[in-house]
Amino acid sequence: MNMSEINKETGTFAVKKGLAEMLKGGVIMDVVNPEHAKIAEEAGAVAVMALERVPSDIRAQGGVARMSDPEMIIGIQKAVSIPVMAKARIGHIVEARILEALDVDYIDESEVLTPADDVYHILKSDFKVPFVCGARNLGEALRRIGEGAAMIRTKGEAGTGDIVEAVRHIRRVNEDIQRVVSASPMELMSIAKELGAPYELVLQVKELGCLPVVNFAAGGVATPADAALMMELGCDGVFVGSGIFKSDNPAKRAKAIVEAVAHYKDAKLLAEVSKGLGEAMRGQSVAQMDDKEKIAGRGW
Amino acid sequence: MIKKRLPVEVGKMRIGILALQGAVREHRNMLHRLNVETVDVLNPSDLDGIDGLILPGGESTTVGKLLVRYNLLEPIAELGRKGLPIFGTCTGMILLSKYINNSEQYRLGLMDTYVERNAFGRQLASFEADMAIPVLGDIPFHTVFIRAPYIDKVESNVKILLSWQDKILFAEQDNFLAVAFHPELTNDTRVHEYFLKNTIICST
């Protein structure tokens, strides 16, 4: 083989999925400016998510939430050496193209922003940049993977600081997977129909016994114990949004959450890192919210 | 403390995998396919009695900080200096290097290599390609590079196993082996076998 004739392929599914594999066991933190990004990197974040307002502010202030100002994203890319992700609105092909042109490392097609399309999600396989998408159950996860997502996260209920929805979503994904794994081959087409999932991906889940891509927790993580709980339930890593920079001591809490994810089975260590973090984000109980206030229902 | 190193058969090895963050599972699966026992390394006591250590891909700044916080950095570096075979992929290559261009981040600093982080660019520059690696035989190896580093300079005691366009992508020095790509993301076990047979058996 002549080494001058190497055929280099970029933007392949393996390369997209590969970056998510490298983020496993790590914490991805929402940041709104370069200073936050540096605090996140210093605390040991594996990546940052650049956005204009954290979800709890979007909730409180209302209005339309859109892709961030490119200048802010570039500022964050300059400030840190870890991967920088950014959010595009559901179905907003052009925001995604802009983020790709900015050379972001991952795009989150996110229900946290106001959806641009109430029927279609972005055809993510058309892009070279990888995408992560939210899901509440296996069918939704496999639809997003079918469109080309290379990483999945639970939707949870962003900006509440209440972990209950994220727990519900990961438990539901796990139950759905168990059902596929224990089904006979004859049952799989009907299950695919019921889940609203591509049949080929259902077959893959049956064979692998898990999702074919990395699955992170997101939406409501506020404490090191919350983060460790999501790892215990089988998530590969954790996104923390408002939970860090809406708390009393972001640097200390960020560091504690990183340690909690790396050592989630070590209760003694969890006790140690949970000490004296100051007040967590105040939060909002999902059980007391109207359906209208919830954002997990965005997307299908 | 490290046990006295004797030549050991591949099937009787016990290999530690640094499990603080990153692609731990893939290395574990790879070694299990080769019938090698593995142990996840999270604390210094997990280093007892291992025949070799793998430093997986992940985020090097994160892993470096956790190595320091859990008192693993110095014990691993010390074992390495005493001869423990260590194999680093991607982030592992960065951690093994003495010199990291433009960075003060934590490292083991065991190999006389100068490494450049995210050297090909951000994620859009990540790629896969077949490459000829003479020490692995005639069949090209399918390499996957994710925001990968490369070595741009080495001291004379480092043996270069693969270089391409002046970028060093696979290198060894005594009991240390470093690759810029991710053999654990493929089904090809040859790089892992090289570590077990050449680095471990030949260096002990």
Side-chain angles (χ1 to χ4, degrees):
Chain A
M1 180 174 182
N2 185 340
M3 287 291 280
S4 62
E5 291 164 11
I6 282 175
N7 179 22
K8 208 165 101 169
E9 282 187 277
T10 58
T12 60
F13 192 70
V15 156
K16 291 173 173 178
K17 187 181 155 193
L19 178 54
E21 305 282 5
M22 298 309 138
L23 301 175
K24 282 188 309 213
V27 182
I28 301 168
M29 302 182 192
D30 277 2
V31 297
V32 299
N33 57 45
E35 291 67 43
H36 281 185
K38 280 185 185 149
I39 293 171
E41 182 175 54
E42 192 47 46
V46 287
V48 291
M49 176 74 70
L51 76 175
E52 219 140 46
R53 296 181 282 168
V54 294
S56 66
D57 285 340
I58 293 175
R59 243 173 221 296
Q61 295 160 5
V64 176
R66 310 179 179 89
M67 177 191 83
S68 300
D69 182 339
E71 203 171 309
M72 183 272 264
I73 295 170
I74 293 166
I76 290 172
Q77 286 172 325
K78 283 186 185 148
V80 294
S81 67
I82 56 180
V84 176
M85 304 183 165
K87 288 182 193 284
R89 282 179 269 178
I90 290 174
H92 207 310
I93 306 158
V94 173
E95 282 189 351
R97 283 189 192 144
I98 293 171
L99 293 175
E100 184 175 54
L102 290 171
D103 210 0
V104 302
D105 294 291
Y106 241 93
I107 295 177
D108 184 0
E109 186 184 19
S110 177
E111 70 283 0
V112 168
L113 305 185
T114 312
D117 192 321
D118 59 4
V119 181
Y120 301 108
H121 283 254
I122 297 168
L123 186 60
K124 293 162 276 288
S125 52
D126 273 355
F127 288 76
K128 289 210 155 195
V129 64
F131 282 76
V132 54
C133 287
R136 290 159 295 178
N137 52 54
L138 181 62
E140 193 171 14
L142 296 183
R143 289 193 291 278
R144 296 296 84 80
I145 297 166
E147 292 156 354
M151 179 180 184
I152 292 294
R153 55 170 175 77
T154 61
K155 282 184 166 173
E157 191 56 42
T160 60
D162 187 348
I163 197 69
V164 68
E165 290 297 306
V167 168
R168 197 197 309 275
H169 298 161
I170 186 66
R171 286 216 180 264
R172 181 64 196 279
V173 168
N174 290 343
E175 283 160 20
D176 290 346
I177 290 173
Q178 276 320 307
R179 186 170 162 226
V180 169
V181 169
S182 54
S184 75
M186 190 183 136
E187 297 168 75
L188 293 177
M189 185 60 87
S190 292
I191 291 178
K193 181 189 172 202
E194 200 185 302
L195 294 174
Y199 178 63
E200 288 67 27
L201 291 176
V202 173
L203 292 182
Q204 259 192 56
V205 169
K206 166 92 176 156
E207 197 189 316
L208 296 169
C210 60
L211 278 181
V213 301
V214 167
N215 186 17
F216 267 48
V221 176
T223 66
D226 288 346
L229 172 65
M230 295 308 293
M231 296 300 288
E232 185 64 39
L233 293 176
C235 288
D236 295 311
V238 176
F239 283 91
V240 189
S242 325
I244 289 171
F245 290 100
K246 286 291 163 190
S247 73
D248 265 5
N249 189 340
K252 196 170 175 193
R253 183 168 295 266
K255 204 170 140 187
I257 292 177
V258 168
E259 297 191 32
V261 167
H263 290 265
Y264 68 94
K265 284 189 182 296
D266 188 338
K268 267 191 183 159
L269 185 140
L270 294 174
E272 197 55 43
V273 302
S274 301
K275 281 183 193 161
L277 296 179
E279 201 158 335
M281 71 177 282
R282 182 122 207 292
Q284 189 176 3
S285 160
V286 176
Q288 275 154 34
M289 288 165 63
D290 284 342
D291 279 350
K292 269 198 309 197
E293 294 175 75
K294 295 182 189 169
I295 57 182
R298 294 170 175 176
W300 63 278
Chain B
M1 219 43 257
I2 189 167
K3 66 182 180 187
K4 186 168 163 44
R5 308 208 53 78
L6 294 166
V8 55
E9 287 170 46
V10 170
K12 290 180 182 161
M13 286 178 188
R14 185 179 149 87
I15 303 292
I17 303 174
L18 186 67
L20 293 169
Q21 190 272 315
V24 179
R25 188 194 303 157
E26 288 73 13
H27 278 292
R28 201 190 288 135
N29 293 344
M30 204 60 138
L31 291 178
H32 290 175
R33 281 177 56 194
L34 296 168
N35 295 317
V36 170
E37 188 191 340
T38 62
V39 53
D40 286 357
V41 174
L42 278 162
N43 294 298
S45 60
D46 302 323
L47 295 165
D48 293 343
I50 55 172
D51 299 298
L53 177 67
I54 291 184
L55 311 173
E59 177 47 50
S60 66
T61 56
T62 303
V63 177
K65 289 187 182 101
L66 291 172
L67 279 171
V68 172
R69 258 180 245 165
Y70 295 104
N71 302 315
L72 279 162
L73 191 80
E74 201 33 54
I76 292 174
E78 183 59 25
L79 288 174
R81 286 190 288 268
K82 285 185 176 160
L84 179 74
I86 305 180
F87 169 32
T89 58
C90 191
T91 277
M93 171 187 261
I94 298 169
L95 293 170
L96 280 169
S97 283
K98 261 186 204 158
Y99 313 100
I100 306 174
N101 299 343
N102 309 311
S103 175
E104 301 293 314
Q105 69 189 83
Y106 297 116
R107 69 203 71 179
L108 297 163
L110 295 166
M111 290 180 77
D112 296 306
T113 49
Y114 292 77
V115 75
E116 176 79 23
R117 285 184 62 205
N118 305 332
F120 294 89
R122 308 186 70 90
Q123 171 63 10
L124 284 174
S126 294
F127 66 96
E128 46 184 322
D130 287 330
M131 294 204 184
I133 306 179
V135 291
L136 301 180
D138 292 338
I139 304 164
F141 196 90
H142 190 70
T143 57
V144 182
F145 290 81
I146 310 286
R147 283 175 50 101
Y150 58 70
I151 296 170
D152 58 8
K153 206 169 82 181
V154 296
E155 306 290 352
S156 57
N157 50 346
V158 177
K159 188 174 164 198
I160 297 167
L161 302 177
L162 172 69
S163 81
W164 173 54
Q165 298 178 341
D166 299 326
K167 304 168 174 70
I168 298 162
L169 306 174
F170 188 15
E172 71 183 335
Q173 176 184 341
D174 307 320
N175 48 319
F176 308 122
L177 187 69
V179 281
F181 52 91
H182 293 283
E184 76 282 9
L185 294 184
T186 69
N187 287 320
D188 195 333
T189 54
R190 284 180 291 163
V191 178
H192 287 78
E193 288 176 76
Y194 185 88
F195 175 60
L196 301 174
K197 289 175 188 158
N198 293 60
T199 317
I200 298 187
I201 294 180
C202 298
S203 73
T204 53

